[in-house]
Amino acid sequence: MSARSALRGPLLVLWFLSQGVLGFYLPGLAPVSFCEPAKEGEGNAVPDCKSTIELFVNRLDSVESVLPYEYTAFDFCAVEAEKRPSENLGQVLFGERIEPSPYKFTFKKSEKCQLVCNKKYNTNLPTDRTYMDFLKKGMLLNYQHHWIVDNMPVTWCYDVEDGQKFCNPGFPIGCYVTEGGQPKDACVVNSDFSEKDTFYIFNHVDITIHYHVVETGELGARLVAAKMEPRSYKHTNADAPDCQGGPMFIKNKDSGDMKIPYTYSIAFVEDKKIRWASRWDYILESMPHTNIQWFSIMNSLVIVLFLSGMVAMIMLRTLHKDIARYNQMDSVEDAQEEFGWKLVHGDVFRPPRKGMLLSVFLGSGTQIFIMTFVTLFFACLGFLSPANRGALMTCAVVLWVLLGTPAGYVAARFYKSFGGEKWKTNVLLTAFLCPGVVFADFFLMNLILWWEGSSAAMPFGTLVAILALWFCISVPLTFIGAYFGFKRTGIEHPVRTNQIPRQIPEQSFYTKPLPGIVMGGILPFGCIFIQLFFILNSIWSHQMYYMFGFLFLVFIILVITCSEATILLCYFHLCAEDYHWQWRSFLTSGFTAVYFLVYAIHYFLSKLQITGLASTILYFGYTMIMTLIFFLFSGTIGFFACFWFVTKIYSVVKVD
């Protein structure tokens, strides 16, 4: 079968799937103009100008639970007739569920204490009791609303330490005061929340929308901020609310009929300082530890660059002397008196044990490396900003699917150079082993999410679509890459391999495989652990991550550090006449993933407040996926660095 015929099937599937992508929700691409509604009998002076502001609701999540839930799961005020916006693949994978809400405002029309709906419960009825228990559970675990206006998060800004203001893109359902009278979470903001063993629900929001009037070009206004204050009102009359009275509370042991009115107030403020293009800045600038992160990253950068320079200087000076000394030897007697890395030139390119598995890991690692590089590059250019919800994950998944060809090519090329002949097994393992492990773990996590009724549970149709991307695009592309990899001649080495393996002398403790592998991952981990804290925060503490420029810089530093640390240890082992460098180079830099796993466990125990067996299993299940991906990524960097180094040094040495 020709390459053109082999490509036709995957291209048709990709074209078919791209037609469905056209309907995906792609926010943040262009500003939307708003203006006051036209008077009766008059048309709008501004074309494409909206007067109605829609508020969308997203999933609810908590730092005390890995399980997010849809907005409707808590029985809040909802609309059923309207169609929900389409979501891209990244949003589905992250469990985002954007839905329309009954909160609709008219531009520049302020309103006070407007009733949205009344929710009535009778705890003697099983359905109502279930809803009420679930609502209490949400307040106990501090679940947070996430609202969206004009693709901007509705933020709750409040004062923190040192007079600084933190703007949280979410606000709690309510809070709980314990049986001992200790207020938890948001209950500390109001001294009226003092009843023991009582839940206080935030059933009223004061929303303030800031807008900027366009002075030049097209007329109209653009929204630049949406801020709110959650409040709790019992209301004197629930059917005609007046935002008076004490806080709305629910006794933990109360039963019978209950009524919870939900209300809002809306105000509009003109802001001439904030432009539409910089409307996210006030949220990002208020993120905690931002200044500390900048200083820490710069400090880490200086240290890592210094260490890298030292390693490079030592390697260059030592190798220069070694090569010069070996090339000046004139007699066989001189060569016999020498010791070190030249003596193993006849064994250094000997095929490693388990060459099949190593080649498969190299193929998958190459796929992940290119995917990460391209994704971070696009993120640095601003294409994957927080305004483009789900774009980061969508980009990563699509790139991984399309990069099956280099994975198959690299795996086949190295497997052939290792002397392997089972090419069918090699290409099948490249296409299915590592992706299969990730998918199996992900599928088990999805079953737990589905059992718990979480919004993060992936629909069956999406699972089928992901399998279609894998089997119909990625697998054929992997086969195409493997075809071209096996078709080429094997990699030519600068020295011949002896038929009889050389005996490896007794090694000291420091040159044995395990100590070298354990030590090799310390330096690469040292350059990423600061950034790792903020990445884990963005995933598990639901904070925005936006410093992709620094992340890309750390990515480059990681590549350099993994390469140099592995090359240095490889040189020491070759000088000790141990020529088994292939697996050791992969595992040396790949051991950084073990440090990542240890740090993730420490982060879970010291930083997070996650409770419940399901949330704990989910945390470690997803952590194992990240660990495997990082292991393949870093291990591949170390192997290719050592492969280049070994090929280079043995190509410039005269061998008799």
Side-chain angles (χ1 to χ4, degrees):
M1 184 174 63
S2 68
R4 180 180 297 179
S5 300
L7 277 169
R8 187 176 300 161
L11 287 175
L12 285 173
V13 176
L14 185 61
W15 175 86
F16 174 77
L17 291 172
S18 68
Q19 302 307 302
V21 173
L22 296 177
F24 281 164
Y25 179 53
L26 297 175
L29 299 180
V32 179
S33 296
F34 292 89
C35 55
E36 296 181 69
K39 296 180 181 178
E40 191 174 347
E42 297 181 7
N44 252 334
V46 183
D48 301 324
C49 184
K50 292 185 176 182
S51 58
T52 301
I53 300 175
E54 295 183 271
L55 187 147
F56 292 91
V57 292
N58 204 342
R59 65 176 186 176
L60 285 85
D61 52 38
S62 169
V63 294
E64 299 181 30
S65 175
V66 179
L67 301 166
Y69 290 101
E70 290 194 41
Y71 179 81
T72 53
F74 292 92
D75 195 36
F76 296 127
C77 302
V79 288
E80 299 179 359
E82 296 187 25
K83 185 180 179 182
R84 63 192 295 173
S86 299
E87 292 141 350
N88 57 41
L89 182 60
Q91 288 175 287
V92 175
L93 290 174
F94 273 118
E96 292 197 27
R97 297 292 185 267
I98 298 177
E99 301 176 8
S101 77
Y103 296 87
K104 289 181 174 54
F105 320 119
T106 303
F107 182 66
K108 293 183 71 172
K109 182 182 178 182
S110 299
E111 295 179 307
K112 292 286 186 182
C113 208
Q114 294 294 309
L115 179 65
V116 183
C117 74
N118 265 313
K119 288 294 180 178
K120 300 177 182 178
Y121 302 96
N122 184 351
T123 54
N124 296 320
L125 300 175
T127 305
D128 288 3
R129 186 169 60 251
T130 301
Y131 275 124
M132 184 56 63
D133 290 343
F134 195 67
L135 186 62
K136 290 178 181 178
K137 176 186 175 183
M139 288 186 279
L140 190 63
L141 294 177
N142 195 28
Y143 269 83
Q144 306 266 322
H145 286 280
H146 294 282
W147 290 1
I148 302 167
V149 167
D150 190 32
N151 193 43
M152 279 208 68
V154 180
T155 57
W156 177 29
C157 297
Y158 51 87
D159 293 327
V160 289
E161 298 176 353
D162 303 327
Q164 296 181 346
K165 190 173 286 292
F166 173 58
C167 292
N168 183 18
F171 67 96
I173 298 173
C175 57
Y176 175 64
V177 177
T178 65
E179 294 181 2
Q182 182 69 30
K184 286 187 61 181
D185 304 317
C187 277
V188 299
V189 302
N190 193 333
S191 58
D192 292 336
F193 298 166
S194 56
E195 290 283 337
K196 296 180 180 180
D197 197 20
T198 301
F199 293 92
Y200 291 89
I201 185 167
F202 292 118
N203 61 332
H204 176 85
V205 287
D206 288 330
I207 303 174
T208 304
I209 294 181
H210 299 251
Y211 64 92
H212 173 80
V213 177
V214 182
E215 298 171 356
T216 58
E218 62 178 344
L219 301 175
R222 292 171 182 171
L223 308 187
V224 293
K227 301 179 182 179
M228 56 79 60
E229 286 281 345
R231 302 191 185 277
S232 179
Y233 291 122
K234 195 172 182 65
H235 297 298
T236 310
N237 184 356
D239 297 318
D242 52 5
C243 293
Q244 300 291 329
M248 180 71 202
F249 64 87
I250 304 170
K251 287 283 189 180
N252 191 22
K253 298 178 181 178
D254 278 357
S255 60
D257 293 329
M258 299 179 188
K259 181 185 287 188
I260 303 176
Y262 290 93
T263 57
Y264 73 90
S265 297
I266 180 77
F268 292 85
V269 176
E270 183 178 359
D271 195 323
K272 296 182 179 180
K273 295 180 180 179
I274 303 177
R275 303 287 177 174
W276 184 87
S278 58
R279 62 181 188 162
W280 284 77
D281 290 359
Y282 83 97
I283 305 174
L284 304 181
E285 289 171 359
S286 74
M287 289 291 177
H289 312 301
T290 301
N291 294 330
I292 298 174
Q293 183 180 10
W294 280 61
F295 174 77
S296 300
I297 290 175
M298 292 304 298
N299 186 49
S300 176
L301 176 63
V302 171
I303 293 173
V304 170
L305 288 178
F306 173 76
L307 291 174
S308 300
M310 292 294 292
V311 170
M313 183 176 68
I314 293 170
M315 293 300 299
L316 288 174
R317 291 187 62 182
T318 307
L319 274 176
H320 179 73
K321 290 180 181 179
D322 279 353
I323 292 172
R325 184 172 69 252
Y326 284 137
N327 284 339
Q328 288 173 0
M329 285 189 264
D330 296 326
S331 63
V332 177
E333 289 78 10
D334 292 337
Q336 290 175 347
E337 292 176 2
E338 289 294 337
F339 64 92
W341 56 272
K342 190 186 176 186
L343 294 182
V344 296
H345 67 83
D347 298 274
V348 73
F349 291 106
R350 188 174 301 282
R353 298 174 183 174
K354 307 292 182 181
M356 170 81 78
L357 186 61
L358 179 59
S359 64
V360 169
F361 282 175
L362 291 174
S364 298
T366 303
Q367 190 176 13
I368 294 168
F369 176 84
I370 301 173
M371 175 198 73
T372 307
F373 177 82
V374 176
T375 302
L376 289 179
F377 181 73
F378 279 124
C380 287
L381 297 179
F383 293 118
L384 308 177
S385 68
N388 258 342
R389 304 175 196 280
L392 187 72
M393 180 60 78
T394 302
C395 178
V397 172
V398 171
L399 282 172
W400 179 84
V401 168
L402 297 178
L403 289 170
T405 301
Y409 179 83
V410 169
R413 195 97 166 82
F414 276 96
Y415 181 64
K416 188 173 183 179
S417 71
F418 294 157
E421 298 179 353
K422 299 179 181 179
W423 64 271
K424 293 181 181 179
T425 306
N426 179 262
V427 68
L428 287 172
L429 286 176
T430 305
F432 294 107
L433 178 62
C434 295
V437 172
V438 172
F439 183 82
D441 190 328
F442 189 80
F443 183 74
L444 290 175
M445 298 304 103
N446 197 66
L447 287 178
I448 296 174
L449 291 167
W450 173 77
W451 178 262
E452 294 289 335
S454 171
S455 66
M458 191 178 298
F460 178 75
T462 306
L463 279 175
V464 173
I466 289 178
L467 288 174
L469 289 171
W470 180 15
F471 284 96
C472 300
I473 299 179
S474 180
V475 171
L477 290 176
T478 305
F479 275 70
I480 292 170
Y483 169 77
F484 286 109
F486 280 114
K487 192 175 182 182
R488 293 197 59 182
T489 56
I491 300 173
E492 294 185 7
H493 302 306
V495 290
R496 294 190 302 271
T497 301
N498 296 333
Q499 292 184 351
I500 301 175
R502 180 185 179 88
Q503 185 176 0
I504 299 174
E506 184 68 24
Q507 299 292 304
S508 65
F509 174 77
Y510 297 103
T511 56
K512 288 182 179 179
L514 187 58
I517 290 171
V518 172
M519 289 187 296
I522 294 176
L523 187 59
F525 178 77
C527 78
I528 65 166
F529 82 95
I530 296 171
Q531 199 74 347
L532 192 60
F533 170 78
F534 293 96
I535 293 173
L536 292 177
N537 256 2
S538 69
I539 296 174
W540 302 115
S541 297
H542 315 295
Q543 296 181 9
M544 292 182 191
Y545 189 89
Y546 61 95
M547 301 187 73
F548 294 108
F550 274 106
L551 184 59
F552 187 72
L553 187 61
V554 171
F555 169 81
I556 299 299
I557 295 172
L558 176 64
V559 172
I560 296 172
T561 313
C562 278
S563 303
E564 290 182 342
T566 312
I567 287 173
L568 184 62
L569 289 169
C570 178
Y571 175 72
F572 290 154
H573 286 110
L574 290 177
C575 288
E577 301 179 31
D578 185 352
Y579 50 83
H580 294 307
W581 62 271
Q582 290 99 332
W583 266 113
R584 187 182 291 116
S585 63
F586 188 92
L587 295 175
T588 297
S589 55
F591 201 81
T592 310
V594 177
Y595 290 109
F596 166 79
L597 178 61
V598 173
Y599 184 81
I601 295 172
H602 164 74
Y603 181 84
F604 175 83
L605 296 175
S606 63
K607 302 295 181 183
L608 296 181
Q609 304 168 349
I610 290 177
T611 57
L613 180 62
S615 293
T616 303
I617 294 173
L618 287 168
Y619 176 86
F620 286 103
Y622 289 130
T623 298
M624 293 308 297
I625 293 177
M626 292 188 282
T627 303
L628 174 60
I629 292 173
F630 192 68
F631 169 73
L632 296 172
F633 165 80
S634 56
T636 301
I637 295 171
F639 177 87
F640 278 110
C642 277
F643 179 77
W644 171 85
F645 171 74
V646 172
T647 304
K648 193 72 174 175
I649 65 173
Y650 284 99
S651 64
V652 297
V653 174
K654 292 186 297 183
V655 179
D656 295 330

